[in-house]
Amino acid sequence: MRVALLGCGVVGSEVARLIVENGDDLAARVGRPLELAGIAVRRKRERPGLPVDPDLFTTDATGLVSRDDIDLVVEVIGGIEPARSLILAAMKNGASVVSANKALLAEDGATLFAAAQEHGVDLYYEAAVAGAIPILRPLRESLVGDQVQRVLGIVNGTTNFILSSMDETGAGFAEALDEATALGYAEADPTADVEGFDAAAKAAILASLAFHTRVPLGAVHREGITEVTAADVASAKAMGHVVKLLAIAELVDGAVAVRVHPAMIPREHPLASVRDAFNAVFVQSAAAGQLMFYGRGAGGAPTASAVLGDLVAVARHRTGGGLGPGESSYADLPVRPMGDTLTRYHVSLDVDDRPGVLAAVATAFARHGVSIQTVRQEGHADDAVLVLVTHTARDADLAATVEELRALEIVRDVSSVMRVEGV
Amino acid sequence: MRVALLGCGVVGSEVARLIVENGDDLAARVGRPLELAGIAVRRKRERPGLPVDPDLFTTDATGLVSRDDIDLVVEVIGGIEPARSLILAAMKNGASVVSANKALLAEDGATLFAAAQEHGVDLYYEAAVAGAIPILRPLRESLVGDQVQRVLGIVNGTTNFILSSMDETGAGFAEALDEATALGYAEADPTADVEGFDAAAKAAILASLAFHTRVPLGAVHREGITEVTAADVASAKAMGHVVKLLAIAELVDGAVAVRVHPAMIPREHPLASVRDAFNAVFVQSAAAGQLMFYGRGAGGAPTASAVLGDLVAVARHRTGGGLGPGESSYADLPVRPMGDTLTRYHVSLDVDDRPGVLAAVATAFARHGVSIQTVRQEGHADDAVLVLVTHTARDADLAATVEELRALEIVRDVSSVMRVEGV
């Protein structure tokens, strides 16, 4: 069983190492040995400590996937091209593919699934979402006889590290980002993480699997964490909540809503105790009820563990016959726009401390059909703050309410606005 | 694709309901409709609300599994016989089997796996451990390219409910058990749960899968929670810990150690926040690092969700070819006796409050080669209590130390002894 590896960076080198070092175990589990047949890299260079034959390296990735002795291809290059062309060439050549490429799966999964089906090969991609955590296989296989209603995920380690740090130290976003960068948890250009692009790609993949439909990346509502302030985090804390960047996929009245944004969740929620760079995905389904999957969402070895699990699965299919589940997109569900999504808001207002303030504020909420669940006043005179949490309402109505509050004379500042989830 | 259902109790009736109510979804996922062909019950009776044809019920289970139109058999009877004979007859007849039977799998899994292999059929049993939580599939498939080092599980909801209640209210075991019984979380005869028999069966199954070996049920060291006192729970709390009944499977120096006993774990450990009747399994592996799987461990609908996931998998294999992974017992690992297992102890001693007490106590530990990590004295005079936590040592040496402490004149009582895990 001959394996071509595309990419030999942080993840690829760990995949190569595991294939070699766990060779006997893998052979026993597959029924035949797995042999590294070639490793495509951008540049050949010394890779001290990596236990593979230097002759395996090639800069000709296209040539590698076209060789007629390749059974399985592992793609850990990332990005759209050349990854997509290489995967399609590999499939056309009869190879099954394991990929860790969330961007490509979210952007153009349909093309890959169609090619896999056309050529009768497997496409597995557990490592594309939440690194080492087995979440795609449970959604694709374990929960396939159940009906998933909602998925709430902490699927980006960088932002979870930053928000955990803000929660623990009271730091602001910029300071916490600096710490994350210094410790290697954030990249030099952190945009993809802190603006939620990474989480949005994963949300699209999770939603597609959970609801057996196709959710285009463009249908995912996305807000990052750059505007989360120390005041937001403190306000969450004051009501027993914690701020997390959540990827949320819901099925409501036959429509799918998928969104990524910071939200306050109660400290008792299983996701609240997911700290630092850990990831977790919380699933609510009709029969199983609440499930949570927790672990490392990134890093070479954790991601390689997920790749290897997939590699053994597709290798077993080659030796024993059969194929894994293909794309399960028979339910072509409509996507609900963010404005129509039902959410709850937490709002902190700096207000004048005089009679009639609450009445004016409450009237603004009422005018947009938004019910208030709790309200409390903190401080007095110049420090008077009104903290409100709403009941569930259309997101557009909540946003319109906040706009109206900003314009009220008695409201000096809207100091914190954030959605509340997991209640 | 015709399904015979053996058993129609709490789980079986939910399985029947899901097969009927989710029929279209299941057909789309399998590629062919799943049809209930018969339901074996002990007694025929009215089952109001269950949407199945009353003619499907039969008291002749043996006749049902021998029919030549049966493709798949779901066994949710439980217990050793007649479940085993029925499963073996079904396999001999060419049917793949989905079972939720932890007792049978732990007691005589080898016979079932051998029969499955002989007859070329699947044996799936996700529901046997931790109900709805996908844990066996991740161990059998997702982590199969990795090396699991340790599994720590809260796999019994009854005992977790009791221990959570003791932690929250300060109640003793008897009082918390009464509450669990009144709320339906404990059976009239709670022995299998509170004495750890249920958890031990699950521990044997988890260990076998995690380490690709065969762990006989008799090799599982088992202690229940009946002797956990309010003082133990309070003592755990005082050092920031919580008491849980853990199923622990470890691979150390090529030997497997499997045990079920109450233990103190730090409140920061992911398992510590698993409350009430929830289950969770924490896995430590070489590449993936720390993983945790959380959800409902029992109940009709959650267990049925796991059964249906397996049913779709084995049905897909019937239509698309191939088989799932069989028993992975190629590593016939030795089992380490409990006495040789490395653990840590928490010990509380009521002592005389006079000079030399700590020296005498420390000498007893030293004589058995046990290092003390922390010691603190609480109270004075007649209320003097010495609380010690050891470093890791052989369990037999720790137990011998406690025996010697009991015999010391200055030790009035050994008020709490419990292992400490998850540090």
Side-chain angles (χ1 to χ4, degrees):
Chain A
M1 190 71 46
R2 291 168 68 78
V3 181
L5 177 59
L6 309 181
C8 196
V10 176
V11 175
S13 56
E14 286 300 320
V15 170
R17 182 193 311 283
L18 289 176
I19 289 176
V20 173
E21 291 182 353
N22 293 353
D24 292 348
D25 284 353
L26 293 170
R29 289 160 205 184
V30 170
R32 278 162 61 185
L34 289 182
E35 189 191 336
L36 261 179
I39 305 176
V41 291
R42 231 177 309 176
R43 280 195 316 277
K44 287 200 203 186
R45 59 174 177 83
E46 291 285 307
R47 291 167 198 266
L50 196 61
V52 301
D53 180 350
D55 290 345
L56 291 179
F57 291 98
T58 172
T59 54
D60 179 14
T62 307
L64 178 58
V65 298
S66 309
R67 273 167 51 179
D68 58 10
D69 64 336
I70 300 295
D71 301 295
L72 311 169
V73 171
V74 175
E75 182 272 308
V76 286
I77 303 174
I80 306 302
E81 285 295 347
R84 175 171 49 198
S85 301
L86 292 170
I87 289 176
L88 293 174
M91 288 176 169
K92 195 174 169 196
N93 195 26
S96 285
V97 172
V98 174
S99 171
N101 194 327
K102 58 183 173 282
L104 177 56
L105 264 300
E107 178 83 25
D108 198 16
T111 300
L112 303 187
F113 290 118
Q117 186 166 18
E118 180 188 348
H119 301 297
V121 298
D122 271 324
L123 171 63
Y124 272 54
Y125 50 103
E126 181 67 76
V129 178
I133 308 174
I135 176 62
L136 302 192
R137 185 173 270 110
L139 285 177
R140 287 222 288 185
E141 303 180 30
S142 307
L143 288 169
V144 77
D146 200 343
Q147 289 181 313
V148 175
Q149 298 159 329
R150 194 157 202 254
V151 178
L152 284 186
I154 295 172
V155 293
N156 180 273
T158 304
T159 49
N160 202 53
F161 182 89
I162 291 170
L163 292 170
S164 293
S165 159
M166 290 173 71
D167 182 62
E168 277 157 27
T169 66
F173 169 76
E175 192 185 335
L177 172 60
D178 285 348
E179 187 200 358
T181 310
L183 292 172
Y185 287 113
E187 296 182 41
D189 176 358
T191 310
D193 293 318
V194 300
E195 293 292 3
F197 290 100
D198 174 83
K202 293 165 178 171
I205 296 172
L206 286 172
S208 301
L209 283 174
F211 306 127
H212 308 278
T213 187
R214 248 178 226 171
V215 177
L217 186 49
V220 180
H221 174 86
R222 178 192 51 76
E223 299 171 32
I225 65 162
T226 55
E227 285 167 33
V228 175
T229 64
D232 293 329
V233 172
S235 203
K237 216 169 205 170
M239 64 169 197
H241 282 48
V242 58
V243 176
K244 295 289 183 190
L245 180 67
L246 296 183
I248 304 175
E250 292 167 305
L251 183 63
V252 181
D253 299 336
V256 174
V258 191
R259 50 199 165 108
V260 169
H261 58 69
M264 297 182 180
I265 58 172
R267 282 198 189 264
E268 308 78 57
H269 193 283
L271 286 174
S273 54
V274 178
R275 318 285 302 172
D276 304 331
F278 275 88
N279 280 198
V281 180
F282 181 85
V283 178
Q284 172 84 43
S285 73
Q290 301 185 342
L291 298 168
M292 191 175 78
F293 305 81
Y294 166 96
R296 294 203 177 273
T303 308
S305 169
V307 168
L308 266 282
D310 281 356
L311 193 60
V312 170
V314 304
R316 290 189 72 255
H317 295 160
R318 305 290 280 200
T319 58
L323 281 178
E327 185 182 26
S328 174
S329 65
Y330 57 89
D332 195 9
L333 301 171
V335 173
R336 186 184 296 266
M338 187 61 196
D340 290 341
T341 298
L342 298 180
T343 59
R344 299 170 68 220
Y345 271 29
H346 164 279
V347 183
S348 293
L349 307 170
D350 294 347
V351 292
D352 289 346
D353 188 12
R354 57 177 163 90
V357 167
L358 180 56
V361 167
T363 302
F365 279 89
R367 200 159 16 236
H368 295 279
V370 176
S371 298
I372 295 168
Q373 186 188 37
T374 63
V375 57
R376 70 174 195 278
Q377 181 175 340
E378 292 172 357
H380 286 287
D382 283 356
D383 294 327
V385 177
L386 214 53
V387 181
L388 302 105
V389 179
T390 73
H391 279 292
T392 299
R394 284 180 68 247
D395 197 76
D397 294 335
L398 289 158
T401 306
V402 171
E403 279 317 292
E404 182 166 338
L405 291 172
R406 282 188 209 280
L408 284 183
E409 198 196 340
I410 45 132
V411 173
R412 291 198 300 261
D413 187 27
V414 179
S415 56
S416 170
V417 178
M418 195 173 288
R419 298 186 186 91
V420 179
E421 298 288 339
V423 183
Chain B
M1 191 71 45
R2 291 168 67 79
V3 181
L5 177 60
L6 309 181
C8 197
V10 175
V11 176
S13 56
E14 286 300 320
V15 170
R17 182 192 313 281
L18 289 176
I19 289 176
V20 172
E21 292 181 352
N22 293 352
D24 291 347
D25 284 353
L26 293 170
R29 290 160 204 183
V30 171
R32 279 161 60 185
L34 289 182
E35 189 192 336
L36 261 181
I39 304 175
V41 291
R42 230 177 311 176
R43 281 196 313 278
K44 288 202 204 186
R45 60 174 177 80
E46 291 285 307
R47 291 168 198 268
L50 197 62
V52 300
D53 180 350
D55 290 346
L56 290 178
F57 290 99
T58 171
T59 55
D60 179 13
T62 308
L64 178 59
V65 298
S66 310
R67 273 168 50 179
D68 58 9
D69 64 336
I70 301 294
D71 301 294
L72 311 170
V73 171
V74 174
E75 183 271 309
V76 286
I77 303 174
I80 306 302
E81 285 295 348
R84 175 170 49 198
S85 301
L86 292 170
I87 289 175
L88 293 174
M91 288 175 169
K92 195 174 169 195
N93 194 27
S96 284
V97 172
V98 175
S99 171
N101 194 328
K102 59 185 172 283
L104 177 56
L105 264 300
E107 178 83 24
D108 199 15
T111 300
L112 304 186
F113 290 118
Q117 187 166 18
E118 181 188 347
H119 301 296
V121 298
D122 271 325
L123 170 63
Y124 272 53
Y125 50 102
E126 181 67 75
V129 178
I133 309 174
I135 175 61
L136 302 193
R137 185 172 270 109
L139 285 176
R140 288 222 287 186
E141 304 180 32
S142 307
L143 288 169
V144 77
D146 200 342
Q147 290 181 314
V148 176
Q149 297 158 329
R150 195 158 201 254
V151 178
L152 284 185
I154 295 173
V155 293
N156 179 273
T158 304
T159 49
N160 202 52
F161 182 89
I162 292 170
L163 293 170
S164 293
S165 158
M166 290 173 72
D167 182 62
E168 277 156 27
T169 66
F173 169 76
E175 193 184 334
L177 172 60
D178 285 347
E179 187 199 357
T181 310
L183 293 172
Y185 286 113
E187 294 183 41
D189 176 358
T191 310
D193 294 317
V194 299
E195 294 292 2
F197 290 101
D198 174 81
K202 293 165 177 169
I205 295 172
L206 286 172
S208 302
L209 282 173
F211 306 127
H212 307 280
T213 186
R214 249 178 225 169
V215 177
L217 187 50
V220 180
H221 174 85
R222 179 193 51 75
E223 299 172 31
I225 65 163
T226 55
E227 285 166 34
V228 176
T229 64
D232 292 330
V233 173
S235 203
K237 216 170 205 169
M239 64 168 198
H241 282 48
V242 58
V243 176
K244 296 290 183 190
L245 180 68
L246 296 183
I248 304 175
E250 291 167 306
L251 183 62
V252 181
D253 298 336
V256 174
V258 191
R259 50 199 165 106
V260 168
H261 57 70
M264 297 181 181
I265 58 173
R267 283 198 188 262
E268 308 80 57
H269 193 284
L271 286 174
S273 54
V274 178
R275 317 286 303 173
D276 304 330
F278 275 89
N279 280 199
V281 180
F282 181 86
V283 177
Q284 172 84 43
S285 73
Q290 302 185 342
L291 298 168
M292 191 174 81
F293 306 81
Y294 166 96
R296 294 204 176 273
T303 309
S305 169
V307 167
L308 266 282
D310 281 355
L311 193 61
V312 169
V314 303
R316 289 190 70 256
H317 295 158
R318 306 291 280 202
T319 57
L323 280 178
E327 187 183 25
S328 174
S329 65
Y330 57 89
D332 196 9
L333 301 172
V335 173
R336 185 185 297 266
M338 188 62 195
D340 290 340
T341 298
L342 297 180
T343 60
R344 300 169 69 219
Y345 270 31
H346 164 279
V347 183
S348 292
L349 307 170
D350 295 347
V351 291
D352 290 346
D353 188 11
R354 57 179 163 87
V357 166
L358 180 56
V361 166
T363 303
F365 278 89
R367 203 163 9 239
H368 296 279
V370 176
S371 297
I372 295 166
Q373 185 187 38
T374 63
V375 56
R376 71 172 194 278
Q377 182 177 335
E378 292 172 357
H380 287 285
D382 284 355
D383 294 327
V385 176
L386 214 52
V387 180
L388 302 105
V389 178
T390 73
H391 279 292
T392 299
R394 284 180 66 245
D395 196 77
D397 294 335
L398 289 158
T401 306
V402 171
E403 277 318 292
E404 181 167 337
L405 290 172
R406 282 188 209 281
L408 285 183
E409 199 195 337
I410 46 136
V411 173
R412 291 197 300 261
D413 187 28
V414 178
S415 56
S416 170
V417 178
M418 195 173 289
R419 297 186 186 89
V420 179
E421 299 288 339
V423 183

